[in-house]
Amino acid sequence: MANQELLLALGGGGARGIAHIGVIRVLEEHGFTIRGIAGTSMGAVIGGLYAANALPQYEEFLQNLGTKGVLKLLDPKIPTDGLLDGKKMVKLLRSMVNDVQIEHMPLPFVAVTADLHSGKAVQLKSGDLVESMRASFAIPGVFPPVSFQDKWLVDGAVATPVPVAVARNLQPDLPVLAVNVNAAEFPPLQASLAAIAPRGDENKKKPSILTTLNESIAHMQNQLAKFQLELDPPDALVQPALKGIGLFDFIRSGHIIAEGRRATEEAIDQGLIQQIDQAVKDSGRSRSGWLQRGK
């Protein structure tokens, strides 16, 4: 058993982000203690629920979710500021955490979102947890942006797909394990959205607006994540292989969670515990020392 403390940087990726559940559960089973989480988009949802001790309720919800359940969660609207309203997802999250405030949660947590006009990352470290998660998963063109102070906030993956630096700032003397769920080539839109936008033959048929948004956003996140992870590498990295999983493919949660578990077990077999142990020994180094790790 590892008996080691760490911080998590959980990346965005729609339904692929459900893999974070599998990652977290394996880390717990191997004796790791999570001391703080920074999450982007779906990473903010899973991370926020975990920090609020509400992840078991979400896991139970996913286990009982079928295709009809997914479609009931998606609330299409006249596309003036987004294709989906997002109110049903907010209602679901609210039923699990009520009105908990981030600063009152038992675990330090930051939801990462982005300023629509400047493109800069915005860190939400206090205030209503559900509203912060909602802002973090406001995928441009899919969900409406969220008004916050004098800004309009959108999905944090626009600026920071995998929030390594944000997680590190929670407690600089602890190692950061990052999870990138967009590492694999992104697949076509899956059947979970078939009632809204039928797939057909994606190679021959002109892509629908949802398919175009779905694939374009994922490619953007993957390329930006690669660049940021090379510039500022985490102390350990887990990258589940989620090719074939679409943005709203929540009906495949069992497979997604299992892949998160598999990827984490593989990382542990390949020396993740030793990586974390070494990072702890090196934790007294300066910020520049952190940047040099892994190069």
Side-chain angles (χ1 to χ4, degrees):
M1 301 292 284
N3 192 27
Q4 190 53 263
E5 299 179 334
L6 50 71
L7 304 167
L8 293 183
L10 304 181
R16 296 184 300 284
I18 297 172
H20 296 314
I21 297 175
V23 174
I24 289 171
R25 294 310 183 206
V26 169
L27 291 174
E28 290 178 325
E29 291 165 9
H30 283 269
F32 288 98
T33 300
I34 299 166
R35 290 302 186 192
I37 300 176
T40 291
S41 197
M42 195 60 185
V45 173
I46 301 301
L49 290 171
Y50 181 79
N53 290 326
L55 193 55
Q57 294 95 301
Y58 190 68
E59 291 181 81
E60 182 179 356
F61 165 77
L62 290 174
Q63 289 172 1
N64 299 314
L65 187 66
T67 302
K68 291 183 178 179
V70 172
L71 294 177
K72 286 181 180 179
L73 269 181
L74 305 179
D75 37 12
K77 61 192 291 289
I78 297 174
T80 55
D81 53 4
L83 295 172
L84 305 175
D85 199 312
K87 290 182 179 178
K88 291 184 178 180
M89 291 188 180
V90 167
K91 183 178 179 180
L92 171 67
L93 295 172
R94 185 74 66 190
S95 71
M96 297 176 182
V97 300
N98 297 314
D99 299 320
V100 65
Q101 304 293 296
I102 292 176
E103 62 269 29
H104 297 153
M105 296 197 303
L107 192 69
F109 170 73
V110 181
V112 180
T113 182
D115 183 337
L116 176 62
H117 297 298
S118 70
K120 295 181 179 179
V122 176
Q123 299 179 30
L124 302 180
K125 304 177 182 179
S126 62
D128 186 81
L129 173 62
V130 173
E131 288 301 315
S132 298
M133 293 191 291
R134 170 67 182 85
S136 189
F137 73 69
I139 303 171
V142 178
F143 295 108
V146 173
S147 178
F148 175 76
Q149 297 179 355
D150 60 344
K151 301 179 177 67
W152 286 102
L153 302 181
V154 294
D155 193 306
V158 169
T160 311
V162 184
V164 174
V166 180
R168 183 177 291 122
N169 287 336
L170 287 172
Q171 197 167 336
D173 61 333
L174 289 182
V176 175
L177 184 147
V179 185
N180 177 21
V181 297
N182 292 306
E185 179 184 354
F186 189 69
L189 191 68
Q190 295 300 307
S192 58
L193 279 179
I196 298 176
R199 283 181 61 192
D201 188 332
E202 298 292 342
N203 293 324
K204 297 179 180 179
K205 188 177 180 179
K206 185 177 181 179
S208 69
I209 185 172
L210 281 173
T211 300
T212 301
L213 284 170
N214 189 39
E215 297 194 28
S216 298
I217 290 168
H219 290 317
M220 175 196 71
Q221 290 183 18
N222 189 31
Q223 293 302 316
L224 182 56
K226 283 182 180 179
F227 173 78
Q228 292 182 341
L229 290 171
E230 289 177 2
L231 181 66
D232 188 4
D235 298 287
L237 178 63
V238 174
Q239 299 192 107
L242 295 167
K243 183 176 182 179
I245 303 298
L247 198 63
F248 293 97
D249 229 347
F250 293 95
I251 57 173
R252 300 179 67 184
S253 61
H255 166 78
I256 299 169
I257 292 172
E259 174 54 25
R261 292 186 63 91
R262 184 209 63 78
T264 310
E265 290 283 6
E266 181 179 83
I268 289 173
D269 290 342
Q270 294 179 353
L272 181 144
I273 292 176
Q274 289 80 2
Q275 282 181 270
I276 296 297
D277 286 341
Q278 185 60 46
V280 171
K281 294 176 183 177
D282 295 341
S283 63
R285 290 192 289 179
S286 65
R287 177 75 180 113
S288 60
W290 281 108
L291 282 171
Q292 291 170 6
R293 286 200 78 256
K295 288 187 177 181

